[in-house]
Amino acid sequence: KVALIHERAGNQRFAVFVASRLSGEICGFGQIEFGRIRDEHLSLHLGAAPEVAHLIDDYVGVRHRGHRLQTALVTARIQHAHARGSSIMTVLVEASNRASRASMGRAGFRPAFRVFTLRTPWWKRSWALCRDPRARITHTSGSPGQYPETPPTT
């Protein structure tokens, strides 16, 4: 993961945020991919969208949970995405990850899609289905964005 973070830090399509102690201990991190919605873990690609900032790779170390660090990382990324001109923010959250779903809800994200994944030992395929026929991934004045919601994967 460290090598991937370093690689992305040098790429203009990404922004990397790391929270650490003065001692250098990494407490958590989060990243943004600009211009497309995709998730390599789920093999889900919803295509290019120049106005999109897709929040990826959220992680807070076990010893640092419960202190709203994820909220701070999400807030910093939303502010950075707005400053960079993004009008839509998205994030994929596992349905079973209640803590992340609650954190994203506090940040103003709302479910827009449900992702279904079919896996075999040889391949994986995901589909995004709209939860509400009126839903779109859009930025509204009262909310930083919406997020596709994913069920637990097996």
Side-chain angles (χ1 to χ4, degrees), residues 41-120:
H41 175 71
L42 295 174
S43 293
L44 178 69
H45 298 272
L46 298 180
E51 70 281 8
V52 167
H54 185 57
L55 282 60
I56 58 174
D57 284 346
D58 286 276
Y59 176 77
V60 173
V62 175
R63 294 183 332 126
H64 307 287
R65 294 178 185 168
H67 303 285
R68 304 277 191 240
L69 182 55
Q70 183 185 25
T71 300
L73 286 165
V74 169
T75 300
R77 288 184 289 162
I78 289 170
Q79 290 171 349
H80 179 78
H82 277 298
R84 202 165 142 168
S86 296
S87 59
I88 300 171
M89 284 78 177
T90 62
V91 62
L92 290 164
V93 179
E94 298 271 352
S96 62
N97 191 339
R98 290 188 173 128
S100 285
R101 290 181 61 185
S103 179
M104 292 301 174
R106 284 189 299 273
F109 287 83
R110 299 291 175 257
F113 294 86
R114 185 157 184 100
V115 176
F116 296 91
T117 303
L118 177 62
R119 295 172 189 236
T120 73

Side-chain angles (χ1 to χ4, degrees), residues 141-154:
S141 60
S143 165
Q146 300 173 340
Y147 65 93
E149 171 188 320
T150 62
T153 54
T154 57

